[in-house]
Amino acid sequence: MAKNISEKIDTLRAQIRYHDRKYYVENMPEITDFAYDLLMKELEKYEKTSPHLITPDSPTQRVSGEPIPGFKSIEHRIPMLSIENTYSEQELREYDTRIRRMLKCEDPIEYVAELKIDGVAVTLWYQNGIFTQGATRGDGLRGDNITANLRTIKDIPLRFSCADNHAPPLLEIRGEIYLPNSDFQRLNQLREEEGKVRFANPRNAAAGSLKLLDPSMTAKRPLRLFAYAVGYYEGKTLVNHANCLKTIKEFGLPVNPHYQICRNMDEVVLYCNGWELKRDQLDYEVDGIVVKVNSLELQKELGATSKAPRWIVSYKYCPEEAVTKIESIRVQVGKTGTLTPVAKLQSVVLSGTTVSRATLHNFDEIERKDIRIGDVVVVQKAGEIIPQVVRVVQGNRTGEEKPCIPPVTCPACNDTVVKEDVYLRCYNPFCPAQVKRKIEYFASRKAMDIEGLGPALIEQLVDKNLIEDYADIYSLQLDDLASLDRVGEKSAQNLLNAIEKSKKRDLCNLICALGIMHVGSHAAEILAKRFNTLEKLTSATVEELEGIHAIGTIMARSIIAFFSNSQTKEIIGKLQTAGVNRKALDIDESAASPIKGKTFVLTGVLNKYSRKEVEGLIKRKGGKVTSSVSSKTDYLIVGDTPGSKLEKAKELGIAILGEGEFEKLL
Ligand code: IVH
């Protein structure tokens, strides 16, 4: 029996590692996420019954251990040197001439050209194919031991995917941890919704994520790895760098697929020029090309200076930056009262688009970068659409530049502002700027989607005292709208129709539209699914809210504070009187749902929903829930510890859904 379990565990681990490799290294998944989750769950189940069989390299052991007070510093066995940089074709050719002279080599040198990923360098140690330790570069001689955090990154195999007897006794692999641009944007959006400071660029976000003291927090950041070199190694015969990359890949670590063996420096130059523009199409930041002498023998012969190996050189791309002047700095008041300084720039072309504004984020940032009105500055797009000011060109200062003093009162209402962390905030609920931003947000596409109700009209409506808050939109009359500048009778009627139509929007849109601090569209969807009606959400307790996955303490408290506010109560009363929908949409309104007309069966325990909730959701979307699996069943929803229904569904070839997949279907 015990032997059986041990064999079963080995098989499951091998299967999981195989699929990890297919997914992360080869980009060719063979099974669905759900089937993968099932394998993982099964392994967890066996390991729970036989904890003595748990090994640190088991796929279940990625996140383990408690938060730590700080990182231990460790010495690198081989120093992690830096790279000599070049910035032009000529410098690259000079490098080639120099090393050929050193090597007394008449023939062209073979190089490997690789993309230079703009992330964080790490070293990974594998003992007999098992990941044992990982560290940051640090000062090149000593780095931080970040093993626990690195273990959470799925790209890093905890064990090599080759046969055990092929794993070298000791191997050090070096690579770059990065955060894809798309994930970086999502992360920043989320941080903004949660009132946290945004990361300046994907590299900072990756570095910050690697240095979190709680590995379970790092696990939530979608960090990735490209391995690019073998450091220290024992027991493996390697002849050239391309061979090293191939070996690294065979062991199961992802290697960037775009490397190229170049027969001479001409080919390297072509490679560098080719990627200068193409790099924009990648979902990660590439700040140059790394050129490496392919032969390990020649590498050895060339050796290193105290700073960098002589066999490696980088060709740096100019960052996509532009130089322009700050004409003025305006302070914008957001819908929750945050004061954001925004620079008005002399228009300039950057990465193919004309930009005339840059966000300065907050006043601490202005002070840190010593940005003044009239300064000549370098602007850059860093993985996002709105550019930022990177630095001031100090040499251009004339002495005429004016410092930007943080306001002590709100520019819109004159109320005293309060500093909270790095942000200045206006807490006046009647502040006209906040009122206008809240109404704009209420009418925006992801909220109530009122077509035609944009900032210019809202400005007039508030300034003319026609509305005081977003609920007043619903008592507007044709005459009110027609009295506005640039609004004819026809467009006034269209606007009224759009306002009327918005009354039927789903509960998640309404929750989002309310503009509760820290609650964005994603959280609104979760809340709508959980509570079904606005009234139920209004009376939710902190404990109930905190119990929901993805709703943290800050958000829960903000929701409670919002609904207990007397002004909110008045506004919700007005929405109710106007007949605005406050329920999650029911069957009739969810016409095109893939759930409509389908029969579902549930088995096992779900994590996010109770059985009743799932049944409610399916019914509202026009589906049916039955208790046993038959040929009439369309979907089986599977939770933890599923029963015999799972086997039966497999036999009948019925589609099986995990909780996540069910949510997607919703
Ligand atoms: S090889 C001796 N290859 O660039 C250094 N580095 O500016 C060996 N980097 O610290 C590094 N992509 O973090 C190498 N394909 C690549 C790389 C790469 C990014 C980083 C690495 C290094 C930095 C130097």
Side-chain angles (χ1 to χ4, degrees):
M1 179 67 182
K3 186 157 177 278
N4 265 349
I5 290 182
S6 154
E7 274 169 10
K8 188 81 197 153
I9 284 179
D10 283 348
T11 316
L12 282 165
R13 286 178 185 166
Q15 279 174 320
I16 292 169
R17 281 183 199 118
Y18 172 81
H19 292 298
D20 274 345
R21 185 181 162 81
K22 285 278 158 202
Y23 187 95
Y24 292 105
V25 182
E26 295 174 20
N27 259 327
M28 281 192 293
E30 285 181 358
I31 57 171
T32 63
D33 289 359
F34 178 64
Y36 178 89
D37 288 348
L38 274 188
L39 288 175
M40 201 69 158
K41 282 215 174 97
E42 206 175 344
L43 176 60
E44 275 166 8
K45 192 179 80 190
Y46 282 115
E47 287 185 347
K48 212 168 176 177
T49 54
S50 311
H52 61 286
L53 294 177
I54 300 177
T55 53
D57 66 316
S58 169
T60 58
Q61 300 302 299
R62 284 200 178 268
V63 186
S64 61
E66 294 293 305
I68 50 161
F71 298 104
K72 287 212 175 81
S73 149
I74 44 175
E75 193 174 341
H76 298 306
R77 198 150 169 173
I78 305 175
M80 290 179 81
L81 299 178
S82 58
I83 309 184
E84 181 191 327
N85 291 325
T86 65
Y87 297 89
S88 64
E89 179 182 333
Q90 191 194 340
E91 281 180 83
L92 262 186
R93 293 194 185 280
E94 281 167 11
Y95 166 82
D96 181 56
T97 314
R98 184 157 30 100
I99 62 162
R100 276 166 63 196
R101 198 182 313 127
M102 259 182 202
L103 295 168
K104 298 188 180 57
C105 178
E106 301 270 305
D107 297 327
I109 289 180
E110 188 173 83
Y111 294 104
V112 176
E114 294 169 19
L115 301 184
K116 186 169 179 317
I117 316 295
D118 195 8
V120 182
V122 290
T123 164
L124 309 167
W125 285 88
Y126 283 86
Q127 247 172 37
N128 297 316
I130 308 244
F131 176 54
T132 50
Q133 184 168 284
T136 59
R137 176 174 182 270
D139 64 3
L141 298 175
R142 303 185 71 87
D144 282 332
N145 182 340
I146 52 162
T147 312
N149 286 349
L150 289 169
R151 289 175 67 86
T152 68
I153 301 171
K154 297 269 178 45
D155 274 348
I156 301 177
L158 299 181
R159 168 197 275 260
F160 284 162
S161 54
C162 63
D164 282 352
N165 53 358
H166 280 107
L170 195 55
L171 183 69
E172 181 196 16
I173 292 173
R174 293 183 177 180
E176 199 83 354
I177 299 287
Y178 67 98
L179 188 68
N181 290 345
S182 49
D183 290 312
F184 166 68
Q185 279 173 33
R186 262 194 291 277
L187 178 64
N188 258 354
Q189 203 177 333
L190 204 73
R191 286 178 75 83
E192 200 155 79
E193 280 174 10
E194 290 172 355
K196 292 184 187 150
V197 183
R198 297 164 68 91
F199 286 114
N201 52 48
R203 184 187 354 99
N204 283 7
S209 307
L210 275 183
K211 291 292 205 75
L212 289 167
L213 294 174
D214 181 353
S216 70
M217 297 297 290
T218 306
K220 290 190 183 143
R221 305 273 170 89
L223 295 172
R224 308 292 310 252
L225 166 85
F226 279 128
Y228 50 61
V230 167
Y232 181 87
Y233 66 95
E234 276 174 12
K236 182 98 191 138
T237 325
L238 296 162
V239 284
N240 60 37
H241 179 67
N243 193 232
C244 292
L245 293 179
K246 205 164 146 263
T247 308
I248 294 174
K249 196 170 170 213
E250 274 163 14
F251 286 151
L253 288 104
V255 169
N256 187 284
H258 303 298
Y259 73 86
Q260 188 179 304
I261 301 173
C262 301
R263 281 169 301 179
N264 50 45
M265 196 43 94
D266 287 340
E267 288 190 6
V268 171
V269 169
L270 282 177
Y271 179 90
C272 292
N273 292 340
W275 275 103
E276 172 128 38
L277 292 177
K278 266 196 299 182
R279 70 190 166 121
D280 279 348
Q281 292 157 22
L282 300 167
D283 193 25
Y284 43 86
E285 299 278 289
V286 167
D287 60 342
I289 300 297
V290 181
V291 184
K292 301 171 181 174
V293 170
N294 196 14
S295 152
L296 297 194
E297 205 184 310
L298 292 186
Q299 284 186 10
K300 210 164 158 202
E301 208 176 321
L302 284 164
T305 66
S306 61
K307 287 202 190 99
R310 289 197 191 86
W311 49 269
I312 185 166
V313 69
S314 85
Y315 174 78
K316 293 272 274 198
Y317 290 132
C318 296
E320 289 179 277
E321 289 180 344
V323 175
T324 185
K325 194 171 174 181
I326 296 189
E327 290 179 337
S328 59
I329 295 178
R330 215 158 49 90
V331 181
Q332 275 183 355
V333 185
K335 73 177 196 308
T336 48
T338 311
L339 270 56
T340 309
V342 179
K344 162 104 185 46
L345 307 170
Q346 251 171 27
S347 294
V348 65
V349 176
L350 179 62
S351 313
T353 53
T354 306
V355 298
S356 54
R357 276 183 340 133
T359 169
L360 299 171
H361 301 296
N362 54 64
F363 289 91
D364 280 14
E365 182 102 345
I366 295 184
E367 195 183 322
R368 195 171 58 78
K369 291 182 179 161
D370 185 21
I371 296 169
R372 301 182 195 177
I373 301 158
D375 263 337
V376 173
V377 290
V378 175
V379 289
Q380 191 184 52
K381 279 191 189 165
E384 287 190 275
I385 297 138
I386 304 174
Q388 37 183 288
V389 172
V390 187
R391 63 179 177 278
V392 172
V393 183
Q394 293 282 350
N396 276 51
R397 281 250 164 104
T398 61
E400 296 287 301
E401 296 78 12
K402 293 197 181 64
C404 174
I405 318 266
V408 278
T409 57
C410 169
C413 72
N414 270 331
D415 221 42
T416 309
V417 294
V418 179
K419 185 141 194 255
E420 206 179 274
D421 196 6
V422 294
Y423 297 108
L424 289 182
R425 290 193 210 276
C426 163
Y427 277 104
N428 172 12
F430 302 103
C431 167
Q434 279 184 63
V435 169
K436 287 171 191 168
R437 294 301 89 72
K438 279 194 178 111
I439 302 172
E440 280 167 29
Y441 187 75
F442 184 85
S444 68
R445 193 166 292 171
K446 66 177 174 183
M448 299 304 266
D449 195 14
I450 306 177
E451 208 182 319
L453 190 57
L457 284 193
I458 292 169
E459 182 92 17
Q460 290 191 61
L461 287 168
V462 176
D463 290 348
K464 291 188 177 177
N465 292 325
L466 287 168
I467 57 174
E468 278 180 2
D469 56 54
Y470 47 67
D472 290 341
I473 292 174
Y474 294 104
S475 39
L476 283 168
Q477 304 293 318
L478 191 66
D479 288 352
D480 298 330
L481 294 171
S483 73
L484 304 177
D485 289 347
R486 286 193 293 267
V487 181
E489 197 158 320
K490 187 155 185 289
S491 48
Q493 186 56 54
N494 286 344
L495 198 52
L496 273 190
N497 295 346
I499 291 172
E500 190 58 32
K501 202 167 138 202
S502 75
K503 289 184 185 169
K504 294 200 174 65
R505 299 277 280 161
D506 201 351
L507 175 64
C508 61
N509 302 104
L510 177 65
I511 296 175
C512 173
L514 295 175
I516 308 169
M517 199 167 186
H518 308 314
V519 178
S521 53
H522 180 63
E525 258 176 55
I526 294 172
L527 292 167
K529 265 188 216 156
R530 250 327 139 86
F531 293 98
N532 287 323
T533 70
L534 186 65
E535 281 63 33
K536 280 197 194 131
L537 172 63
T538 313
S539 50
T541 62
V542 165
E543 292 74 28
E544 263 179 283
L545 290 164
E546 279 181 349
I548 302 171
H549 184 74
I551 308 281
T553 311
I554 295 176
M555 215 193 281
R557 297 220 170 117
S558 166
I559 295 167
I560 297 288
F562 180 83
F563 286 116
S564 50
N565 179 296
S566 60
Q567 206 198 354
T568 306
K569 286 182 183 153
E570 198 186 308
I571 290 177
I572 290 181
K574 285 197 252 181
L575 292 172
Q576 197 171 351
T577 313
V580 173
N581 170 56
R582 297 175 318 285
K583 290 200 301 255
L585 285 187
D586 58 29
I587 314 162
D588 297 333
E589 280 141 342
S590 62
S593 166
I595 289 176
K596 201 170 180 178
K598 298 281 189 274
T599 303
F600 289 74
V601 175
L602 278 81
T603 179
V605 184
L606 300 177
N607 290 314
K608 288 203 209 163
Y609 302 94
S610 72
R611 215 163 243 263
K612 252 203 151 56
E613 277 174 314
V614 175
E615 284 180 16
L617 288 167
I618 293 172
K619 279 185 199 154
R620 260 202 314 282
K621 296 269 177 194
K624 200 164 78 179
V625 182
T626 60
S627 56
S628 58
V629 174
S630 74
S631 57
K632 292 202 182 100
T633 310
D634 294 296
Y635 294 104
L636 178 73
I637 302 176
V638 184
D640 288 343
T641 52
S644 60
K645 288 176 194 169
L646 178 59
E647 292 310 314
K648 179 125 193 237
K650 278 185 187 164
E651 268 170 38
L652 294 172
I654 286 162
I656 296 169
L657 301 177
E659 208 169 342
E661 283 168 326
F662 169 63
E663 273 193 315
K664 273 188 205 148
L665 205 65
L666 276 175

